[in-house]
Amino acid sequence: MKRCATLFLSLALVLCSWQDCQAGPISIVVNEYTSSDDSFTTGQLLAAKATFETQIALWTGALSDPKGGPHVTVTISTVDFVSLALGNGGSTVGATAVGGLPGNVTKIKISTNTDMFYDTGTVPKDQKSAATVMLHELGHAVGFNYLDSGDGYQKWNDRITGNLFDMFGTNVTMAGAKDDANGLSHIDTSYAANDLMNLTIGYGPSSVRPISQLDLCMLAAAYGYQTPYDCPEPGSMTLLGLGVAGMAGYGWRRRK
Ligand SMILES: [Zn+2]
């Protein structure tokens, strides 16, 4: 009896180390935190870095890669806290993510101007949550990203026709139509107001936004991530081929 149990255990261990067996967490690695803003002190930079790491944990805790290892790793070359001009009267959240696709190097800039609220507590009505801006830019890094790069890695674009993102039969309206890179990376407020991935997040307490089920399900549709939610799935014609992935998802949910 004891021998049987040992044999079963070692067999399981061998199989798991061979192909890593099951779904695993994605990881987001930042190579360097800097500040191009001379007025941003070292202490502020360290605090901002800590806040950024917290936002990373929210994404990596919400998305899982269905494959056996190695799993998706997003490498961010630099996170720069910089004094950015908020152009067009607040039509931008004051930060940009460049070149972000899962696995690709991404540069993220987060504004340090007075619109941004870096403290803890309630966000004043004339400021925006810096933590939410960080979370939003990380959303681009993990896949909310229209890239007309021509490199064959067009998983996000491939789901979009006009300004509609096809989430396996559910059409999500994006904030812009074809060739509007900025618009295609954001969910339109007419479809979902107060979403983390809207083009703007506004001011005050409502600028604090969590990662939504919609955000996660769209990423799942484009890249095959697994999430804690029941997301729309491919039609029945393709279900057969995805049976193994479905079982991996079951295992991941059980481990929660
Ligand atoms: Zn954005």
Side-chain angles (χ1 to χ4, degrees):
M1 190 69 182
K2 192 179 174 189
R3 183 178 295 170
C4 279
T6 309
L7 184 64
F8 176 77
L9 191 64
S10 38
L11 186 63
L13 282 174
V14 166
L15 286 173
C16 284
S17 60
W18 173 54
Q19 61 171 20
D20 217 1
C21 266
Q22 54 191 328
I26 66 165
S27 64
I28 301 174
V29 178
V30 179
N31 287 338
E32 189 181 13
Y33 290 92
T34 61
S35 179
S36 304
D37 179 358
D38 291 340
S39 69
F40 208 59
T41 67
T42 303
Q44 286 172 319
L45 176 61
L46 290 175
K49 176 188 170 193
T51 305
F52 200 90
E53 299 282 343
T54 301
Q55 310 314 307
I56 285 177
L58 293 175
W59 278 112
T60 56
L63 292 173
S64 178
D65 184 344
K67 300 193 308 291
H71 302 293
V72 166
T73 299
V74 177
T75 305
I76 299 167
S77 61
T78 317
V79 176
D80 191 0
F81 296 92
V82 56
S83 181
L84 289 174
L86 287 184
N88 304 323
S91 70
T92 165
V93 291
T96 53
V98 183
L101 281 175
N104 284 17
V105 174
T106 309
K107 294 178 181 173
I108 291 181
K109 295 180 179 178
I110 306 288
S111 175
T112 57
N113 77 8
T114 53
D115 276 9
M116 302 291 273
F117 183 71
Y118 276 90
D119 295 331
T120 54
T122 306
V123 180
K125 65 180 192 311
D126 58 348
Q127 287 189 295
K128 304 164 190 278
S129 164
T132 298
V133 170
M134 296 175 194
L135 196 63
H136 173 102
E137 296 311 321
L138 283 165
H140 291 308
V142 297
F144 261 82
N145 212 319
Y146 173 87
L147 261 195
D148 193 14
S149 54
D151 61 2
Y153 202 153
Q154 303 270 322
K155 292 188 173 181
W156 188 258
N157 307 16
D158 287 351
R159 303 215 71 81
I160 299 175
T161 306
N163 67 337
L164 297 177
F165 181 101
D166 175 16
M167 194 164 58
F168 298 127
T170 301
N171 281 330
V172 179
T173 308
M174 304 306 285
K178 193 165 176 58
D179 298 330
D180 176 1
N182 210 23
L184 294 184
S185 304
H186 298 96
I187 300 168
D188 198 69
T189 52
S190 69
Y191 185 85
N194 299 318
D195 192 274
L196 173 67
M197 298 313 296
N198 287 156
L199 193 54
T200 60
I201 63 168
Y203 290 85
S206 71
S207 71
V208 179
R209 300 182 182 183
I211 300 169
S212 71
Q213 177 173 353
L214 176 62
D215 302 334
L216 295 175
C217 286
M218 290 173 74
L219 289 167
Y223 303 102
Y225 289 129
Q226 288 170 353
T227 83
Y229 298 108
D230 286 329
C231 293
E233 292 178 348
S236 55
M237 278 181 66
T238 54
L239 269 182
L240 202 61
L242 293 171
V244 174
M247 284 169 66
Y250 177 69
W252 182 74
R253 270 195 283 272
R254 279 197 58 187
R255 283 196 293 128
K256 287 283 289 182

